[in-house]
Amino acid sequence: MLAVVNAADSRWHLGFERFVKDQAAASSLSRSPSCTGYIPSASATKKRRQQTLISFIWSPGNPLPAGTGGSENYTIGQVRELTRRGLAAQVVTVGLGISDGRDDFADIPFLSLATLAAVSELDGTVVFVNEAHTVPTRRPAFLILHNPPPIRERYRAFAIDGTRELTLIATSRYAAALWSRYLDVDVATISVVYPFAEPGFAAEPRPVHDGGKTRVLFAGRLSPEKGIYTLLETLHLDIIEQHPGLEFAATTAGADKPQGKIIERLLGAHPGISVVASCKTPATMAALMAGHDIVVVPSNSQYWHETFGIVSIEAQHSGCRVVASDDGGLPETDCGGVVLVSPDDAEALAWGIIKAAESGPVSPAARRDAGARFTVAQSVDSLLDVFARPLPIPPAVIVRQLEELIAAPSAKLTRTPNPGGALAGTAP
């Protein structure tokens, strides 16, 4: 198995290469009518989908880790909220048996399949998460695009081919536009279902702090695209070193990966930042954020564009100010407490942190207003609306129909006399 080590394409999970070969075989299988452009009526679609199981297909060959990223939080949160509503939903993993991450999610239904091809046998609504595998499904399937398109050419064909016959869902307007350009499809065919913060973030009490201290937290994964190296540069700037009362911390989220282990050691050796254990539940992350004043989201923009930024809304729901890169979908996360700064710019990040610190605590009213935005209930409402509405005809189906039309034999035309000419006594 070939591991993907480039930071920009690390979003294609380590099991990705193993299943690229499988998709070639899967794509050769005959597809059911639902996978070849069959579009049921709106009323039949809505009734059917509201009564069937919703399966979220996690990255084949990879367990679903707790507390490591937005796509994980989004997937688990969606299943949890659907289950709360009495709607059957589950996470589906492939090739791992019960060692698929379920131990960290006691309240979430899991199903483990032996092979990717077994997805074809699932009843109900199938939703692929991140990766678009060309597996035939019994009913029209969906794909949630949590990540930006791959930048390496060797993944381009996989991404384009895999999305040809799926209904696409993006996590921001920015992401929808980005993918529409990459896939050369109408942006109107890509629905937007925003991420969310779990209810506990807005409800978490904020402890009383000693005066004079401003606590700054980096809560993203320890990976280059999340901007951790920009933050390390910022720590060495004079305007930060000379600003009184700033205390920095970072979590170990992502330290289970090779590059994360390296970054964790770098942080551990730095006297200007402390390292705290990653949080595996929304409750523990909410408590950690509520204990800080500022959360930084300095995502890289050189080879990665954040499609949304769940950490930003979780932090604002927790009563924190957020300093984030003015790039990708991050501007769409503003609940009233975001300071946007130039990405990949240590000095801009430093001044953003100082501006947020000097703004003082978030007022209770502002926090309540933030907590009413990007809720899990709103997100699931949007998702169910996408499932219920008439599906757009996939681009592959349109192309295939046009090719069939062009290849069809021309109709023979029978020439008839001109009635007007005959009445006028002229020869036809």
Side-chain angles (χ1 to χ4, degrees):
M1 181 175 68
L2 175 63
V4 182
V5 296
N6 177 269
D9 280 319
S10 63
R11 55 188 176 276
W12 298 101
H13 294 280
L14 297 179
F16 173 86
E17 295 278 1
R18 168 182 161 195
F19 289 92
V20 170
K21 295 179 180 178
D22 291 351
Q23 65 91 22
S27 63
S28 67
L29 298 175
S30 61
R31 291 180 178 268
S32 65
S34 64
C35 296
T36 55
Y38 167 70
I39 307 299
S41 68
S43 59
T45 300
K46 184 172 183 178
K47 180 177 180 181
R48 185 186 66 194
R49 290 190 183 138
Q50 286 180 342
Q51 297 174 349
T52 56
L53 176 66
I54 302 171
S55 296
F56 293 80
I57 313 302
W58 188 247
S59 172
N62 290 273
L64 196 156
T68 61
S71 57
E72 293 87 343
N73 294 345
Y74 184 109
T75 303
I76 289 297
Q78 290 276 8
V79 173
R80 183 177 286 123
E81 175 64 15
L82 288 165
T83 303
R84 285 187 194 126
R85 299 184 183 195
L87 301 174
Q90 63 183 358
V91 173
V92 176
T93 59
V94 178
L96 298 171
I98 62 173
S99 300
D100 55 4
R102 66 183 64 192
D103 290 345
D104 288 325
F105 305 102
D107 62 329
I108 301 298
F110 271 70
L111 172 67
S112 179
L113 301 178
T115 66
L116 185 60
V119 171
S120 300
E121 302 304 315
L122 293 175
D123 286 319
T125 300
V126 169
V127 184
F128 291 95
V129 179
N130 281 329
E131 295 174 9
H133 295 276
T134 52
V135 182
T137 54
R138 291 183 173 181
R139 294 174 179 169
F142 299 80
L143 169 65
I144 298 181
L145 299 161
H146 286 282
N147 294 318
I151 63 174
R152 301 304 180 212
E153 192 61 32
R154 63 182 180 273
Y155 301 126
R156 183 179 181 87
F158 178 87
I160 293 176
D161 188 50
T163 56
R164 283 164 58 86
E165 297 193 5
L166 297 174
T167 298
L168 305 180
I169 301 172
T171 56
S172 66
R173 295 189 302 274
Y174 167 83
L178 185 67
W179 275 101
S180 74
R181 292 192 297 271
Y182 186 83
L183 300 173
D184 193 23
V185 300
D186 187 348
V187 69
T189 66
I190 304 178
S191 299
V192 174
V193 177
Y194 277 115
F196 51 86
E198 288 276 6
F201 286 91
E204 182 68 28
R206 290 186 61 82
V208 177
H209 293 311
D210 295 333
K213 299 292 184 182
T214 300
R215 296 161 179 80
V216 183
L217 175 68
F218 177 90
R221 286 196 311 274
L222 299 182
S223 57
E225 63 265 25
K226 295 299 182 179
I228 185 62
Y229 289 118
T230 302
L231 177 61
L232 284 171
E233 289 182 67
T234 297
L235 295 178
H236 292 283
L237 294 179
D238 56 345
I239 55 177
I240 291 295
E241 292 178 340
Q242 296 169 10
H243 194 281
L246 290 176
E247 295 182 348
F248 291 85
T251 76
T252 59
D256 56 318
K257 301 294 190 298
Q259 62 183 10
K261 286 182 170 63
I262 295 172
I263 297 170
E264 182 185 19
R265 290 197 294 270
L266 291 175
L267 294 175
H270 197 295
I273 189 168
S274 60
V275 180
V276 299
S278 62
C279 301
K280 293 190 174 184
T281 68
T284 54
M285 178 57 84
L288 178 64
M289 286 183 168
H292 288 79
D293 305 293
I294 299 170
V295 172
V296 290
V297 191
S299 295
N300 186 292
S301 71
Q302 299 176 59
Y303 50 83
W304 165 275
H305 301 281
E306 201 77 62
T307 54
F308 184 69
I310 285 181
V311 166
S312 173
I313 57 174
E314 289 176 342
Q316 291 173 84
H317 282 215
S318 301
C320 299
R321 297 193 183 277
V322 170
V323 180
S325 293
D326 188 3
D327 183 69
L330 282 167
E332 295 178 54
T333 68
D334 191 1
C335 299
V338 172
V339 176
L340 294 172
V341 299
S342 297
D344 312 308
D345 186 331
E347 177 120 346
L349 178 60
W351 285 115
I353 292 170
I354 291 173
K355 178 180 178 180
E358 293 177 346
S359 296
V362 174
S363 71
R367 185 184 179 188
R368 283 193 301 271
D369 183 64
R373 308 183 191 187
F374 299 111
T375 68
V376 65
Q378 293 165 354
S379 182
V380 168
D381 284 345
S382 296
L383 184 68
L384 293 175
D385 180 65
V386 172
F387 291 164
R389 72 175 68 133
L391 302 180
I393 300 176
V397 174
I398 296 175
V399 170
R400 184 162 56 245
Q401 291 174 345
L402 289 173
E403 290 173 345
E404 292 171 355
L405 181 63
I406 293 171
S410 300
K412 293 183 178 180
L413 299 177
T414 302
R415 186 177 181 85
T416 59
N418 184 335
L423 290 174
T426 59

